[in-house]
Amino acid sequence: VPLVFVPGMKGTHLAFDDIHTQNHGSSIPILPSGSKKKRKKKRAWLTLSHLLNFPPRPDDDPMRDLSLPLTYDHEPPPGTDPKLAEHYPRQHRGKLVPDGIVDHIIEVNLGDGENVNYLDLNFLPFYGHCTKAIREMDIAYHKIKHDGLLESTDTFQLQDESDNGSTSKYDGDATIDASDANRGVFDRIGSFVERTSFWDFSNEKTGIATEQESNQQHSSPKYCRPTAIFSYDWRRPLPELCTELHNFCEETFPNQPVQIVAHSLGGLMTFAAMRHHPKKYAPGAVVVGVPFETGIQYLQDLHKGYYTELDRCRQFTPGAQFTMSSHWGFFPISKKRLQDRFVDVTEHFENGGDHEIKFDSDKSGIGKIGTEFQPAVKGASAYFDFYNPDAWEELQLGVFGPEFDDKLCDKQREAYKEHMSIQMAAAKAWRKRVLGEDEEIDNNDGILNQIPI
């Protein structure tokens, strides 16, 4: 049974598309006629230099701006596939396109023998050990089949081209590509460590797995199977991404069932695909860290922006994040679904009692060193209509806060609200259709509506 890996939000690189792309449909870059070489694109997300903010750049620097346009095509062109036509009004794609899965982990091993200590810079997202493992499964599968194929699909070679700037066959090792000479020093260091971190797999006993152990783990006939990886623009609307995932699985492995491994946002997309196309995904899926109930913690991220662990920059500013669309589906549409995850703490701050809660409302704690779970705080539910742009404006959240009073004109605020209205309506309909949430039932009869089977 083929296996497809789907990463979560922020798990795919985004790069400036300086070559021709289609205005409608696929976001995959198209090379000029007759071209044989893939051109290296400048990435906006994720690069080590951006995370370290070196050389220093302001939050809204154009070279790391992750915004989507607030403009739309309101009607599909004649002849548009009915499945794609369902996603209109359709937000314009802008200058950034998917550029491969963020697949690196940085590990620095200090010590030797059985006394190995790790300096793990885990503020970098990583999927590399997962993609490496499933790629080895795929290569071993074709070796055993003796079918003359190196891999089942070109998704891994496309990943190589995105990372290295040129086509290269996978041989289990990583090399430094000549295109690195044109990159900044921090990007080159990050790329080098990213790739060399795959040379050895660590274990608890020695810190290094033997070649025999690796072969036994990934090359056994029991585990060999066709595999593929799905990279996507995680800023796009959730209903649109669900359609893209299913289309990818159909085109990559036609006329056969598929199994999926997914994380976070990828898990929501997978669940929707399984609900709508049960036969295609009859083998099931393994999903991890999926916000089925609610992703209410993302509200803080939207409100103040996303900080790197070194507190060097806010690449995910409120202004940029409010142009994105996938995260609107994280919020509950009913009070009971929210439960006690978001409470009114006004009384805790009256009469000098603010010491009871360790929370800085004016600065995001997401992605910062030392962030830890705090004791539960009791209070009345602070639910508001998350799917009403006027409510966000009234509460001065994100781009409607004082920070943006001098940055946005009335026309820009209206553009944000129009965009939010379109995407919130689509996200709300998606939660009802896929997750079975219904605000009238949940709020009135005292019983949470169950996800329909």
Side-chain angles (χ1 to χ4, degrees):
V1 176
L3 179 68
V4 175
F5 173 65
V6 186
M9 175 175 279
K10 304 173 185 173
T12 298
H13 287 290
L14 298 175
F16 290 97
D17 182 14
D18 56 359
I19 51 181
H20 180 66
T21 57
Q22 293 176 328
N23 291 326
H24 304 284
S26 175
S27 60
I28 299 175
I30 301 174
L31 288 169
S33 176
S35 176
K36 294 182 179 180
K37 181 175 177 59
K38 294 283 185 180
R39 258 206 293 176
K40 183 73 179 179
K41 296 186 290 293
K42 181 69 175 178
R43 282 175 175 168
W45 174 263
L46 166 73
T47 71
L48 186 60
S49 63
H50 286 168
L51 285 177
L52 296 178
N53 195 21
F54 187 88
R57 299 175 184 267
D59 286 346
D60 57 354
D61 184 89
M63 291 307 296
R64 46 185 235 186
D65 182 17
L66 302 177
S67 300
L68 280 169
L70 293 178
T71 53
Y72 282 77
D73 289 325
H74 290 273
E75 297 292 337
T80 300
D81 186 311
K83 293 181 179 180
L84 294 178
E86 294 176 357
H87 303 307
Y88 281 77
R90 187 178 177 87
Q91 189 175 11
H92 291 165
R93 290 191 176 273
K95 297 180 180 180
L96 298 179
V97 295
D99 193 40
I101 290 178
V102 179
D103 60 4
H104 60 272
I105 177 172
I106 296 180
E107 292 178 351
V108 180
N109 299 337
L110 304 176
D112 55 12
E114 295 187 6
N115 300 316
V116 177
N117 298 313
Y118 292 98
L119 172 62
D120 184 7
L121 304 181
N122 58 10
F123 63 91
L124 292 173
F126 61 92
Y127 289 111
H129 288 96
C130 180
T131 56
K132 177 182 172 70
I134 66 173
R135 187 176 195 179
E136 290 177 346
M137 292 180 195
D138 188 73
I139 292 173
Y141 170 80
H142 291 290
K143 285 182 179 179
I144 293 173
K145 294 281 289 185
H146 299 289
D147 55 10
L149 296 177
L150 178 64
E151 296 174 322
S152 299
T153 73
D154 63 357
T155 56
F156 293 106
Q157 289 202 18
L158 291 175
Q159 178 84 3
D160 288 342
E161 294 165 12
S162 295
D163 288 339
N164 300 331
S166 62
T167 303
S168 62
K169 289 187 177 180
Y170 176 81
D171 60 6
D173 292 320
T175 57
I176 303 298
D177 189 85
S179 63
D180 278 345
N182 297 322
R183 305 171 70 191
V185 60
F186 277 92
D187 286 336
R188 279 183 282 158
I189 293 173
S191 179
F192 173 77
V193 178
E194 165 187 337
R195 288 174 292 196
T196 57
S197 65
F198 297 151
W199 291 351
D200 296 322
F201 276 80
S202 61
N203 60 35
E204 293 180 358
K205 184 177 180 181
T206 66
I208 299 177
T210 66
E211 181 178 356
Q212 181 181 3
E213 290 171 338
S214 180
N215 290 337
Q216 288 176 347
Q217 182 177 0
H218 300 306
S219 301
S220 167
K222 181 179 179 180
Y223 299 106
C224 296
R225 59 200 298 192
T227 64
I229 54 177
F230 177 64
S231 59
Y232 60 95
D233 188 344
W234 36 266
R235 305 169 301 162
R236 305 292 299 173
L238 185 52
E240 180 182 311
L241 294 176
C242 295
T243 299
E244 287 187 4
L245 171 60
H246 176 66
N247 289 345
F248 173 84
C249 292
E250 285 280 42
E251 294 168 4
T252 306
F253 299 110
N255 304 317
Q256 57 183 317
V258 169
Q259 191 174 43
I260 296 180
V261 173
H263 172 237
S264 190
L265 177 64
L268 290 178
M269 296 155 55
T270 299
F271 185 75
M274 296 178 71
R275 287 286 316 281
H276 296 147
H277 309 279
K279 291 184 178 180
K280 181 70 177 179
Y281 307 100
V286 176
V287 296
V288 180
V290 184
F292 284 119
E293 278 290 305
T294 173
I296 188 62
Q297 67 273 16
Y298 206 79
L299 177 62
Q300 185 185 4
D301 195 358
L302 274 169
H303 180 46
K304 286 296 176 182
Y306 183 91
Y307 288 80
T308 67
E309 284 207 30
L310 298 180
D311 202 14
R312 296 284 294 165
C313 66
R314 283 190 309 170
Q315 189 165 8
F316 289 86
T317 63
Q321 292 196 106
F322 269 69
T323 70
M324 302 176 192
S325 300
S326 56
H327 50 235
W328 299 118
F330 291 172
F331 301 107
I333 64 176
S334 63
K335 296 178 182 178
K336 289 187 179 297
R337 189 76 70 170
L338 180 65
Q339 297 180 338
D340 62 351
R341 298 181 176 96
F342 193 44
V343 297
D344 183 353
V345 296
T346 303
E347 64 180 32
H348 293 270
F349 287 84
E350 294 176 346
N351 301 320
D354 59 330
H355 62 279
E356 299 178 30
I357 303 175
K358 297 179 180 179
F359 176 69
D360 185 352
S361 61
D362 291 327
K363 193 169 187 179
S364 173
I366 298 176
K368 286 184 62 60
I369 292 175
T371 301
E372 58 185 19
F373 290 105
Q374 300 295 337
V377 177
K378 294 183 178 181
S381 173
Y383 176 86
F384 68 93
D385 187 351
F386 295 98
Y387 293 86
N388 181 357
D390 290 334
W392 290 73
E393 185 177 33
E394 181 180 351
L395 293 172
Q396 298 184 339
L397 295 173
V399 295
F400 303 110
E403 177 186 351
F404 288 85
D405 285 348
D406 298 328
K407 297 181 180 180
L408 299 179
C409 64
D410 290 343
K411 185 177 180 179
Q412 289 172 311
R413 288 189 182 86
E414 287 304 313
Y416 271 112
K417 291 179 67 174
E418 181 180 359
H419 157 71
M420 292 169 66
S421 295
I422 293 172
Q423 296 303 334
M424 287 175 170
K428 187 174 185 178
W430 185 90
R431 286 189 68 92
K432 288 184 175 182
R433 182 176 66 254
V434 176
L435 301 182
E437 191 174 1
D438 189 312
E439 68 267 45
E440 293 185 4
I441 295 177
D442 288 356
N443 290 338
N444 295 332
D445 69 0
I447 301 177
L448 278 176
N449 187 29
Q450 299 298 312
I451 295 177
I453 305 298

